[in-house]
């Protein structure tokens, strides 16, 4: 728990009143499965003008001023013990600031109108952070020969993994003076090009039937169109993208060149190396992952899309048809109430581990979940950690689909369980894990809930659609995102030789996508320019492989869990104990140490093949269902051929 008297916790009486009111509302709505919970952010602050918020801001400002006075410009001269104590104070300040950050994030997600209301608070947060920004900057650029002797002090050694992650993220290997110059230049160059990119994409409009639509609006229209209409719509989207392709290519070239300059100054030879360090994964591990997953395209993604083409009565499926509902499955759906969804998720969690279920239940009982779709609310979904001793906040917009149950509610509650376990075991800083590890509990939770959905569903058509959707999710995260990473590698390598025009970039993109989809899908012009719409390429280069990484890690762990379950109660209990230990480890263990209890080695091909085999298993189950009860085919279509093994 946070220490009392720090001014950051709401008054106990207010919290007790809030909890009683929330419990009463939940109890009264229990009989109504349609009930969609909304969070009440009064547990943080009653309003942006609340006296408690103003008091907290003043206290944080005071602590920051004292911190600056005590430590700015002194870090390299401190003993290891004193530097460790300074880092402890800094962590406490950041934990206090995190509560304000949570409030800002949740309010802005709750209603877009709150962006204007929170302008002054956002400005305060940025300016306040600027006061103490020197601390991480000095730690990141401190010479290794100065820092290493200090780490013998226990007070600093406890933060060693956090320091390593900070220094990897901030590019500490740049020569003296260059690191700061690079950071300053990024505020005008990379941030400027980033703004240029987002403004260009957001302003882009598609000419369609006398209207001018955004890409998102046009994509929504596509979902209700016939195949011929989808082809026309995608052609219109391609034309809109092509018209801006020269601008976006210029932007992308400039941003890549900035990164290459930093890498060259730091002596880094491969463009994804800084991201690998931040993810605490060796280049060799990433290469093994890449080679193993890419070699699976033929037996997984090619086979799946060949099967889909056959379902549509096609030898080669036009790209516009890939996202269309399969014949015979147009009405294969089960609409879940929120009450049903919660029971399914909690039952799946409870079967796995009562502790898992208890931690998920805390999100509901604390009133920290918002599931109601409404105008002005953010369209995304997330689990936001609230800090050690508090319960994470979960947001989604629940519409009743199976995907909402497993891939959204189950996924985000998995994050919430992970966050509570790690924060309690490791504290605020040391619980902040790299993205591939952060996705471990969430995707694992998805798998638990998906299996529960599959067990409870009796309609063969709905079961088949569940398998189709699960496979598309697994292949999209686990294989297609790797193709995105492949694209980034090839573009960065080609950029070393000179500037690339839009068509050259598009050629690379089409090549990687054809390799992923295989011969049963015919790409189109919208595919050709689709790279322009992927913000990760511009905002967070090489981030995309984290999805593939996490998907295969979790798939492998899940297969290990099922094997332990089949072995008996003792093996199952040992797996669960080890798995919860993995989630509790935060930054205290590296990637290799995390998986030692499971006898898994991420530097081996077997590790990644183990994960890929789960997708192969589901694909076998899907084709077996199809053999037992073939989907309806368009009139005159040929019978499907047997899928490749």
């Amino acid at each position: 728990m946070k220490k009392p008297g720090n001014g950051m916790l709401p008054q106990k009486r207010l919290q007790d009143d809030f909890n009683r009111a929330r419990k009463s509302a939940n109890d009264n709505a229990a009989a109504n499965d349609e009930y969609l919970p909304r969070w009440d952010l009064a547990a943080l602050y009653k309003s942006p003008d609340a006296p408690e918020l103003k008091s907290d801001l003043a206290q944080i400002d005071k602590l920051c001023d004292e911190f600056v006075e005590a430590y700015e410009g002194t870090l390299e001269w401190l003993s290891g013990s004193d530097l460790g104590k300074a880092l402890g104070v800094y962590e406490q300040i950041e934990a206090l600031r995190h509560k304000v950050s949570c409030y800002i994030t949740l309010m802005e997600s709750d209603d877009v109108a709150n962006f204007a209301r929170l302008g002054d608070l956002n400005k305060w947060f940025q300016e306040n952070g600027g006061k103490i920004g020197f601390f991480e900057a000095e730690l990141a650029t401190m010479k290794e020969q100065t820092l290493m002797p200090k780490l013998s002090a226990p007070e600093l050694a406890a933060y060693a993994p956090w320091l390593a992650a900070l220094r990897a993220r901030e590019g500490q290997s740049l020569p003296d003076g260059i690191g700061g110059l690079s950071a300053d230049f990024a505020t005008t160059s990379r941030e400027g090009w980033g703004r240029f990119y987002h403004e260009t994409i957001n302003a882009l409009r598609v000419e369609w039937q006398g209207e001018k639509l955004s890409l998102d609006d046009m994509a929504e229209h596509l979902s209700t169109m016939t195949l011929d209409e989808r082809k026309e719509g995608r052609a219109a989207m391609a034309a809109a993208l092509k018209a801006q392709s020269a601008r976006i290519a210029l932007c992308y070239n400039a941003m890549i060149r900035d990164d290459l300059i930093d890498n060259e100054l730091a002596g880094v030879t491969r463009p994804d190396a800084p991201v690998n360090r931040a993810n605490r994964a060796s280049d060799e591990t990433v290469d093994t992952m890449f080679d193993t997953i890419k070699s699976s395209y033929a037996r997984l993604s090619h086979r799946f899309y060949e099967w889909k083409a056959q379902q549509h009565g096609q030898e080669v499926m036009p790209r516009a048809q890939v996202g269309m509902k399969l014949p015979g499955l147009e009405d294969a759906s089960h609409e879940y109430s929120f009450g049903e969804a919660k029971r399914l998720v909690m039952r799946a969690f409870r079967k796995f581990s009562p502790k898992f279920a208890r931690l998920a239940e805390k999100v509901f009982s604390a009133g920290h979940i918002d599931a109601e779709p409404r105008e002005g609310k953010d369209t995304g979904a997330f689990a936001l950690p609230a800090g050690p001793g508090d319960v994470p906040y979960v947001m989604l917009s629940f519409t009743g689909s199976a995907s909402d149950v497993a891939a959204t509610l189950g996924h985000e509650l998995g994050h919430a369980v992970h966050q509570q376990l790690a924060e309690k075991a490791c504290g605020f800083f040391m619980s902040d894990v790299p993205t591939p590890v952060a996705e471990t509990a969430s995707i694992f939770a998805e798998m638990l809930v998906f299996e529960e959905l599959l067990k409870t569903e009796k309609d063969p058509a709905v079961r088949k659609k569940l398998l189709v959707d699960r496979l598309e999710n697994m292949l999209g995260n686990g294989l297609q995102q790797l193709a995105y990473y492949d694209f980034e590698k090839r573009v960065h390598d080609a950029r070393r030789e000179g500037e690339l025009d839009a068509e050259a970039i598009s050629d690379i993109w089409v090549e990687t996508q054809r390799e992923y989809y295989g011969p049963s899908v015919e790409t189109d012009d919208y595919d050709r320019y689709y790279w322009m719409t992927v913000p990760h390429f511009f905002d967070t280069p090489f981030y995309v492989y984290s999805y593939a990484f996490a998907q295969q890690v979790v798939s492998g762990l899940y297969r290990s869990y099922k094997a332990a379950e089949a072995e008996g109660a003792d093996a199952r209990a040992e797996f669960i104990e080890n798995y919860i230990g993995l989630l509790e480890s935060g930054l205290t263990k590296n990637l290799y140490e995390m998986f030692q209890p499971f006898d898994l080695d991420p530097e081996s091909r077997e590790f990644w093949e183990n994960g890929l085999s789960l997708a192969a298993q589901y694909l076998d189950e899907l084709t077996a269902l199809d053999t037992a009860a073939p989907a309806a085919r368009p009139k005159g279509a040929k019978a499907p051929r047997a899928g490749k093994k």
Side-chain angles (χ1 to χ4, degrees), residues 84-100:
K85 291 174 184 176
L87 220 168
V89 174
Y90 179 69
E91 181 178 23
Q92 291 175 7
I93 293 173
E94 283 297 290
L96 299 179
R97 280 170 38 82
H98 182 69
K99 183 184 177 185
V100 179

Side-chain angles (χ1 to χ4, degrees), residues 225-227 230 304-330 464 468 472 520-521 626 630-641:
M225 292 179 183
T226 65
L227 177 57
R230 285 170 69 91
F304 177 69
Y305 290 110
E306 180 185 36
W307 177 86
K308 284 198 83 173
Q310 292 166 3
Q311 298 294 296
H312 285 292
Q314 304 275 9
E315 289 288 332
V316 178
M317 178 171 47
R319 181 64 180 83
Q321 200 168 29
V322 169
M324 295 186 71
K325 293 180 180 178
L326 295 176
L329 299 185
E330 295 91 344
K464 181 175 178 179
V468 171
E472 287 192 304
S520 298
V521 175
D626 187 48
R633 293 188 297 275
K635 189 175 180 180
K638 295 179 181 179
R641 295 172 287 141

Side-chain angles (χ1 to χ4, degrees), residues 516-533:
Y516 164 72
Y517 282 111
S520 298
V521 175
E522 182 179 24
T523 57
D524 59 18
D525 277 350
Y526 181 46
D527 251 348
R528 180 170 181 78
Y529 299 106
Y530 188 80
W531 62 270
M532 296 166 54
T533 72

Side-chain angles (χ1 to χ4, degrees), residues 82-348:
D82 287 342
L83 185 56
K85 291 174 184 176
L87 220 168
V89 174
Y90 179 69
E91 181 178 23
Q92 291 175 7
I93 293 173
E94 283 297 290
L96 299 179
R97 280 170 38 82
H98 182 69
K99 183 184 177 185
V100 179
S101 174
C102 279
Y103 183 66
I104 293 171
T105 299
L106 297 173
M107 284 286 286
E108 290 178 345
S109 301
D110 188 79
D111 190 341
V112 67
N114 286 329
F115 276 90
R117 294 181 66 197
L118 297 170
D120 289 343
L121 188 56
N122 261 309
K123 182 181 178 184
W124 172 88
F125 190 81
Q126 296 301 322
E127 291 176 349
N128 175 265
K131 290 181 182 179
I132 55 175
F134 75 89
F135 191 72
E136 291 193 13
E138 288 187 28
L139 286 175
T141 56
M142 188 180 292
K143 289 185 182 341
E144 193 163 316
Q145 59 265 35
T146 302
L147 178 61
M148 291 305 293
K150 299 179 191 293
L151 285 169
S152 60
E155 296 89 345
L156 188 59
Y159 289 100
W162 182 86
L163 282 166
L166 168 70
R167 289 165 68 83
R169 185 174 69 246
E170 299 299 328
Q172 81 286 355
S173 55
L174 289 172
D176 287 348
I178 300 297
L181 180 61
S182 174
D184 290 341
F185 188 63
T187 63
T188 56
S189 179
R190 172 164 276 285
E191 290 182 17
W193 285 115
R195 177 180 173 183
F196 174 82
Y197 164 74
H198 285 287
E199 288 181 352
T200 302
I201 287 294
N202 290 338
L204 190 148
R205 292 294 178 267
V206 181
E207 298 280 351
W208 181 251
Q209 297 180 347
E211 292 186 86
K212 293 185 177 182
L213 303 175
S214 70
L215 284 172
D216 287 343
D217 288 341
M218 188 63 192
E220 198 170 320
H221 280 303
L222 286 181
S223 64
T224 61
M225 292 179 183
T226 65
L227 177 57
D228 287 342
E229 289 171 335
R230 285 170 69 91
K231 288 179 179 178
E232 292 178 18
R234 287 174 65 89
M237 296 168 85
L241 286 170
K242 185 176 182 179
Q244 296 297 327
S245 62
R247 286 171 173 259
I248 300 299
L250 171 65
C251 171
Y252 198 27
N253 273 277
M255 297 174 91
I256 292 174
R257 184 59 187 145
D258 278 358
D259 292 341
L260 289 173
I261 290 171
D262 276 354
N263 286 343
E264 288 166 6
L265 289 169
V268 174
T269 57
R270 54 184 285 165
D272 62 337
V275 178
N276 298 344
R277 288 199 301 270
N279 285 336
R280 306 181 78 201
S282 69
D283 295 343
E284 292 75 19
T285 295
V286 175
D287 288 342
T288 302
M289 172 199 70
F290 175 79
D291 293 339
T292 309
I293 295 176
K294 189 169 181 179
S295 69
S296 76
Y297 284 178
R299 69 180 189 272
L300 292 177
S301 56
H302 293 189
R303 180 185 168 201
F304 177 69
Y305 290 110
E306 180 185 36
W307 177 86
K308 284 198 83 173
Q310 292 166 3
Q311 298 294 296
H312 285 292
Q314 304 275 9
E315 289 288 332
V316 178
M317 178 171 47
R319 181 64 180 83
Q321 200 168 29
V322 169
M324 295 186 71
K325 293 180 180 178
L326 295 176
L329 299 185
E330 295 91 344
D331 300 318
S333 62
H334 182 141
E335 292 296 318
Y336 298 87
S337 68
F338 188 78
E340 286 179 303
K342 179 183 175 183
R343 286 193 293 274
L344 272 164
V345 171
M346 296 306 296
R347 185 163 66 241

